[in-house]
């Protein structure tokens, strides 16, 4: 699939974040309040100007398909990058997220400040687990995470050396 590209997140992407937020699964805490979405948008925009990670809009051709990014995380006493994605319903099941994840790994490698990229999909999210597999990540087992704060979820640790 050669029509997948990434564009750096910018001030004009609040509408996309609101649309993605509306479809946030209950397993990930469900949709956030609009104030929380506005705050997240600010953090995404700021992150995209730093060396600690980046947020991107995923494009399929000229259509906006979702978002993906990576950021610094302390994991098992090591500084790594974590990645996450959210694809709009009409683009799911088409390989969009897997292609975007391959590209995000390339970008994180080029940034060159961390040795590993991790994704932590919930164990009950087969589509996201499939994205990890298709993008070349390897599983390192299951862990419990508090996300959002106050909610515990069981996730798989998928990683890729950079």
């Amino acid at each position: 699939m050669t029509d997948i590209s990434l564009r750096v997140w910018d001030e004009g992407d609040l509408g996309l974040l609101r649309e993605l937020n509306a479809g946030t699964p209950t397993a990930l805490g469900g949709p956030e309040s609009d104030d929380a979405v506005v705050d997240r948008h600010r953090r995404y925009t700021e992150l995209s100007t730093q060396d600690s990670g980046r947020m991107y809009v995923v494009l399929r051709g000229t259509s906006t398909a979702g978002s993906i990014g990576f950021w610094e995380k302390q994991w098992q006493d090591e500084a790594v990058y974590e990645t996450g994605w959210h694809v709009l319903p009409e683009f799911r099941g088409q390989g969009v997220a897997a292609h975007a994840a391959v590209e995000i790994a390339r970008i994180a490698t080029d940034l060159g400040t961390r040795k590993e990229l991790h994704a932590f999909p919930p164990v009950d999210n087969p589509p996201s687990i499939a994205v990890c597999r298709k993008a070349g990540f390897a599983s390192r087992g299951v862990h419990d995470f508090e996300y959002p704060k106050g909610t515990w979820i069981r996730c798989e640790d998928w990683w890729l050396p950079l």
Side-chain angles (χ1 to χ4, degrees):
M1 181 179 305
T2 59
D3 63 342
I4 302 300
S5 62
L6 305 182
R7 175 182 58 73
V8 174
W9 193 272
D10 66 31
E11 286 293 335
D13 294 319
L14 178 58
L16 170 61
L17 190 55
R18 284 183 169 132
E19 188 175 357
L20 292 168
N21 178 62
T24 300
T26 305
L28 295 177
E32 296 177 304
S33 70
D34 194 59
D35 286 344
V37 171
V38 169
D39 185 56
R40 181 178 297 275
H41 173 61
R42 178 192 53 76
R43 291 191 319 268
Y44 282 7
T45 303
E46 288 173 1
L47 180 64
S48 295
T49 66
Q50 301 171 7
D51 289 335
S52 58
R54 299 278 190 284
M55 284 303 299
Y56 294 89
V57 172
V58 179
L59 300 169
R60 180 156 192 199
T62 59
S63 299
T64 299
S67 68
I68 192 166
F70 66 99
W71 48 90
E72 292 179 341
K73 176 183 183 69
Q74 281 297 123
W75 177 241
Q76 299 179 334
D77 298 323
E78 187 176 348
V80 300
Y81 284 133
E82 178 180 357
T83 185
W85 50 84
H86 200 151
V87 176
L88 292 167
E90 60 269 29
F91 293 97
R92 292 181 188 154
Q94 301 172 31
V96 171
H99 280 82
V102 168
E103 182 64 11
I104 218 68
R106 186 194 61 73
I107 293 167
T109 298
D110 290 348
L111 191 57
T113 63
R114 299 291 175 252
K115 295 179 184 175
E116 296 180 354
L117 179 65
H118 291 254
F120 299 100
V123 296
D124 61 354
N125 188 338
S128 280
I129 291 168
V131 168
C132 293
R133 192 174 288 113
K134 289 175 187 174
F137 288 69
S139 179
R140 280 197 172 160
V142 176
H143 303 273
D144 292 322
F145 287 92
E146 186 177 19
Y147 183 84
K149 195 169 184 86
T151 301
W152 287 91
I153 57 175
R154 198 144 182 82
C155 296
E156 285 192 39
D157 173 14
W158 287 82
W159 79 285
L160 186 69
L162 299 177

